Amino acid sequence: MKIRRSKYFILLVVAILVVMQTTAFAQTFTDVPDWAKSYIEKMNEAGIITGYGDGTFRPNGQVTREQAMVMIGRMLKMDSQKKAEAVKEHEAFMNEVGVSSWAKEGVAVCLSSGIVSKDVIKTKFYVAKVPQTVQKDELCIYLTRAMGLEGEAKSKVIINLPFIDSELMALKVQAYVEVMIEKEVINKAGDAQGKFNPKSTVNRAVMAKMLCVAYDYMQNNDVSTVIDDGEGDNEDSNNDVKTVDIDGSITDLLLAGKEAYITVDGPESDDVVYIAGPDSKIYIDGKLKDFDDLSEGLNVIVKVTQDKKIVELNGTTISKEYEGTIKERILANPVKIQIEYKVGTKKYNETFKVDDDVEVTLDGKDAFIYQVDKGDIATIDVRNNMIVAIDAESKNKDVTGVIKDLSFKPDPVLTIENNNGITLEYEIDNSASIKRNKKSAEITDLKIGDKVELEVEYNVIDRIEASVIKTDDEGTIEAILIAKNNKLTITNKEKEEVSYFLSNNVEIEIDNKKSTIYDLRLGYFVELEVESDEIVEIDAKATSIGSQYEGTITYINEDANVMIISVYNYDKKETEDVRVDVTDKTSFIDISGDSTRFRYLDEHDKVIVIGESDGGIFKAKTVIVTSEH
């Protein structure tokens, strides 16, 4: 009896060990979508996200805020002792608000790491002790903090999100979302409508993807969560060193081996030189950096000793964009640009130094700083009081292209495509000089397709020289629109469907007889003379290619009584598709010469179709099958 118990006991232990060994590895899930599979498996292997006992992952399940804290907490590098201390520290609070017992460690870790605050947990995490789902925008905030990027988010001045519903978020929230886009945690394309949907909930599959990208970033950048214990860096190992904080911006910078001589404008606007050495800590936007990352114009708070040695420097990148008119351009060393811009109705002038590596675009082309001139309209990007990019439009310029649109908003606006294929839009001055084919003209005489030479000042057209572009085209009529502006649509010889307006004085001949637009029919073959986008002459053939077609069936629609056959057009020397309509009177003859029915025909059968064109539609009288597929 004892032997039997020992035997069963050994078997039980072995079974338990097998189960424990199996659960130590990643689970294999039965319900994971293909797009999320790699993310889910990686996060499961890392122990950050788990599945359910029945082998499912439940990708569409909604993630609660406390679940998000547990998952994020697992990504943070915190040892077991500190986790235990965090739980102990926040135990009373977590009991008070109703944190689930299994989630206490994750919530405590996130509280201690600054990922979330007690106020947020108290007001948002639970309603009547029921855990609430996490929203997309707040998840971006939590992950930004976990990835050590909150300083980067807070330093953003200009934010330009690509989503059409960005205005639904406060600016400070938009900054976190932009950081997550930059790190590819969030897809910049948004949903199918281009929306971000900030208040939408997050399911487990999407959560796995966001966690995976954040996790990779943290691993690659060695991000760890450091709890600020309030101790500063103002003391060395031997004696107390008193420091003062200088708040200003760098006006000059000299790198000399292992030292940097940094000039900062102080509180009294006095420029003072401070020395940074190997032991100096340099932070920019919250990240540890080297001397090489410093630049003139950078806003800094510097901890310095009495002998002007830098203990710590904290820099904040400030980026701004200005749109206005260049008032002065000083080509000295350093180069400076003065720009006049408006805020509301007030005008302001600012002067900035130009970075040596400034990117300059003038009239849509790469340019040099000396090509930008007074009076040019410009958008300038300023980083740390230094111009790093200029996109300028010349005050006076000549533009050539083809008219694409003429509209009134209510002032006339001309849209052209220039010789580089770029679309440009300009207002037309009320007193602009306009000529068409070297004759004085009005704005309304201009036509889409006209070639134009423009004189533009401050993006307003002063002079227009337009000329008609004459072309020929031919094809089969597909549509006729009789309206205020008559329009003809044809399928041309390249088998492209194109449309043209008809000139008020259009000349139309059908089978060499003078006719009108009302005499044209669908299916007529036409030769056109076109000026810009207007037809000025039509030579039409009323007869079809023939009253008999021989070819191969390529499409059949029994319900619509329609088939398409591929025939060889000997006039055009090419194969084309012909639509054939059948009626109750159409007779069908099979390959044996016996009567058959439309439904017995098949694609790839070779046929001879005899019939006639009626209003551009070919109706079959007899269909003879010459070869079956």
Side-chain angles (χ1 to χ4, degrees):
M1 197 68 164
K2 288 182 180 180
I3 294 175
R4 181 180 284 177
R5 284 181 180 175
S6 299
K7 182 179 179 181
Y8 286 136
F9 178 77
I10 292 170
L11 290 173
L12 179 60
V13 170
V14 170
I16 292 171
L17 288 174
V18 169
V19 171
M20 289 175 65
Q21 189 173 17
T22 302
T23 56
F25 294 91
Q27 296 170 267
T28 300
F29 302 114
T30 58
D31 60 344
V32 172
D34 289 341
W35 70 266
K37 186 176 181 180
S38 61
Y39 303 122
I40 292 170
E41 289 179 349
K42 186 170 184 176
M43 290 298 90
N44 182 241
E45 288 174 0
I48 291 169
I49 192 166
T50 60
Y52 293 85
D54 60 357
T56 62
F57 181 74
R58 304 179 192 176
N60 295 321
Q62 300 302 305
V63 178
T64 66
R65 291 182 172 103
E66 68 174 15
Q67 287 171 343
M69 292 300 101
V70 171
M71 295 174 194
I72 293 172
R74 289 169 180 162
M75 290 200 303
L76 304 177
K77 295 179 180 178
M78 185 177 286
D79 61 38
S80 57
Q81 182 180 343
K82 286 189 176 180
K83 287 180 182 178
E85 291 172 356
V87 172
K88 185 177 180 181
E89 179 185 354
H90 301 293
E91 180 81 21
F93 168 77
M94 291 190 292
N95 288 337
E96 176 188 343
V97 296
V99 177
S100 304
S101 58
W102 60 268
K104 283 184 177 180
E105 183 177 273
V107 172
V109 166
C110 289
L111 272 170
S112 296
S113 303
I115 307 299
V116 69
S117 68
K118 287 184 177 180
D119 285 342
V120 170
I121 292 176
K122 187 180 293 185
T123 57
K124 289 188 174 182
F125 272 45
Y126 308 92
V127 174
K129 300 286 178 104
V130 176
Q132 300 299 296
T133 52
V134 70
Q135 294 175 350
K136 201 173 180 182
D137 56 354
E138 64 182 294
L139 185 55
C140 287
I141 296 175
Y142 299 147
L143 288 176
T144 300
R145 290 170 178 166
M147 294 164 70
L149 299 171
E150 186 164 36
E152 186 173 324
K154 287 184 176 180
S155 68
K156 285 186 175 291
V157 176
I158 298 172
I159 302 168
N160 186 21
L161 294 180
F163 311 116
I164 64 174
D165 59 347
S166 299
E167 70 279 1
L168 299 178
M169 294 178 280
L171 279 175
K172 62 181 181 180
V173 177
Q174 291 185 33
Y176 289 89
V177 175
E178 188 168 79
V179 171
M180 290 296 93
I181 291 175
E182 292 169 354
K183 306 308 178 188
E184 299 183 351
V185 174
I186 291 293
N187 187 342
K188 65 181 179 181
D191 64 13
Q193 288 78 43
K195 294 181 179 180
F196 176 67
N197 303 307
K199 301 303 177 185
S200 63
T201 56
V202 178
N203 66 34
R204 285 169 53 81
V206 172
M207 185 72 176
K209 185 260 185 182
M210 293 175 70
L211 288 171
C212 189
V213 178
Y215 177 82
D216 287 344
Y217 175 89
M218 294 170 71
Q219 294 294 308
N220 294 335
N221 292 274
D222 196 25
V223 176
S224 60
T225 301
V226 179
I227 303 172
D228 186 2
D229 57 7
E231 294 180 4
D233 295 313
N234 293 344
E235 297 182 358
D236 63 21
S237 58
N238 298 318
N239 53 12
D240 292 340
V241 178
K242 293 183 179 180
T243 63
V244 293
D245 288 351
I246 304 299
D247 192 346
S249 61
I250 297 176
T251 58
D252 195 20
L253 180 65
L254 175 63
L255 303 181
K258 294 183 179 180
E259 290 186 328
Y261 296 86
I262 303 169
T263 305
V264 179
D265 58 348
E268 304 299 328
S269 297
D270 295 329
D271 287 353
V272 181
V273 179
Y274 301 98
I275 304 171
D279 296 329
S280 302
K281 293 184 177 180
I282 307 295
Y283 296 95
I284 299 178
D285 300 330
K287 293 183 178 179
L288 190 63
K289 297 289 184 178
D290 298 323
F291 296 155
D292 292 341
D293 297 305
L294 297 173
S295 62
E296 291 183 20
L298 184 68
N299 284 356
V300 293
I301 298 176
V302 190
K303 290 184 182 296
V304 297
T305 63
Q306 290 180 340
D307 55 353
K308 295 184 173 57
K309 297 289 181 66
I310 295 176
V311 175
E312 181 177 304
L313 182 150
N314 286 278
T316 302
T317 301
I318 296 180
S319 298
K320 290 186 178 181
E321 184 178 273
Y322 297 85
E323 294 183 18
T325 304
I326 294 177
K327 300 298 288 183
E328 292 291 342
R329 182 200 58 176
I330 305 169
L331 296 178
N333 188 14
V335 178
K336 293 182 180 179
I337 293 286
Q338 184 184 77
I339 186 167
E340 181 180 88
Y341 62 96
K342 279 186 176 182
V343 177
T345 57
K346 291 186 177 181
K347 290 184 178 180
Y348 297 88
N349 286 279
E350 296 277 0
T351 302
F352 302 99
K353 292 180 183 179
V354 178
D355 189 84
D356 292 338
D357 297 321
V358 63
E359 295 180 1
V360 182
T361 305
L362 181 64
D363 298 331
K365 298 179 180 179
D366 292 340
F368 298 99
I369 188 64
Y370 66 81
Q371 294 175 286
V372 178
D373 206 351
K374 288 174 60 176
D376 289 351
I377 299 169
T379 299
I380 64 173
D381 291 332
V382 178
R383 188 175 302 138
N384 300 326
N385 292 318
M386 188 81 71
I387 296 176
V388 295
I390 301 175
D391 183 9
E393 291 283 339
S394 299
K395 171 187 174 183
N396 297 304
K397 57 188 173 184
D398 297 328
V399 182
T400 59
V402 176
I403 295 177
K404 290 298 180 182
D405 188 35
L406 176 62
S407 58
F408 296 85
K409 302 181 179 180
D411 295 326
V413 174
L414 192 68
T415 302
I416 72 164
E417 183 180 288
N418 70 9
N419 297 335
N420 296 319
I422 299 172
T423 300
L424 304 169
E425 187 178 282
Y426 302 105
E427 290 185 11
I428 303 174
D429 190 86
N430 292 332
S431 58
S433 170
I434 302 174
K435 289 186 177 181
R436 189 169 189 258
N437 292 337
K438 298 183 178 180
K439 295 181 180 180
S440 294
E442 300 294 332
I443 292 175
T444 51
D445 294 324
L446 300 173
K447 304 296 181 184
I448 294 173
D450 281 358
K451 183 178 179 180
V452 290
E453 296 178 0
L454 311 175
E455 285 185 6
V456 180
E457 181 176 353
Y458 288 129
N459 282 335
V460 178
I461 298 172
D462 284 337
R463 186 180 68 85
I464 301 174
E465 290 279 353
S467 57
V468 172
I469 299 176
K470 294 184 178 181
T471 57
D472 295 327
D473 206 349
E474 62 181 36
T476 305
I477 297 177
E478 296 293 337
I480 304 170
L481 174 64
I482 298 178
K484 183 178 180 181
N485 296 310
N486 297 331
K487 185 186 286 188
L488 191 69
T489 301
I490 68 168
T491 298
N492 63 19
K493 54 188 175 184
E494 283 79 29
K495 297 186 178 180
E496 296 173 338
E497 196 170 277
V498 291
S499 298
Y500 300 101
F501 290 106
L502 272 65
S503 167
N504 293 332
N505 301 316
V506 62
E507 295 181 4
I508 302 175
E509 287 190 357
I510 301 175
D511 293 335
N512 299 319
K513 293 180 181 179
K514 191 171 183 179
S515 306
T516 69
I517 189 173
Y518 301 102
D519 299 314
L520 296 172
R521 295 289 184 272
L522 302 182
Y524 280 11
F525 181 78
V526 291
E527 295 177 343
L528 310 175
E529 286 189 14
V530 182
E531 292 184 356
S532 297
D533 73 331
E534 284 190 343
I535 299 172
V536 295
E537 188 174 319
I538 301 175
D539 184 6
K541 298 290 187 294
T543 55
S544 302
I545 295 173
S547 58
Q548 176 176 306
Y549 292 108
E550 182 174 359
T552 303
I553 298 174
T554 58
Y555 171 79
I556 290 181
N557 189 324
E558 186 181 341
D559 295 330
N561 288 327
V562 171
M563 64 180 176
I564 304 294
I565 63 173
S566 177
V567 303
Y568 186 77
N569 187 322
Y570 292 94
D571 292 335
K572 295 184 180 180
K573 296 181 180 179
E574 63 182 21
T575 300
E576 62 184 18
D577 289 335
V578 175
R579 168 177 168 160
V580 176
D581 286 27
V582 301
T583 67
D584 294 340
K585 297 179 180 180
T586 303
S587 59
F588 300 90
I589 301 173
D590 64 18
I591 194 170
S592 303
D594 298 326
S595 295
T596 185
R597 295 187 179 183
F598 182 41
R599 66 172 178 268
Y600 296 137
L601 271 59
D602 205 351
E603 291 181 7
H604 307 298
D605 285 352
K606 292 183 179 180
V607 294
I608 295 174
V609 181
I610 302 169
E612 61 183 14
S613 181
D614 182 7
I617 298 174
F618 188 83
K619 294 184 178 179
K621 290 183 178 180
T622 306
V623 178
I624 303 171
V625 180
T626 60
S627 176
E628 293 180 340
H629 173 62

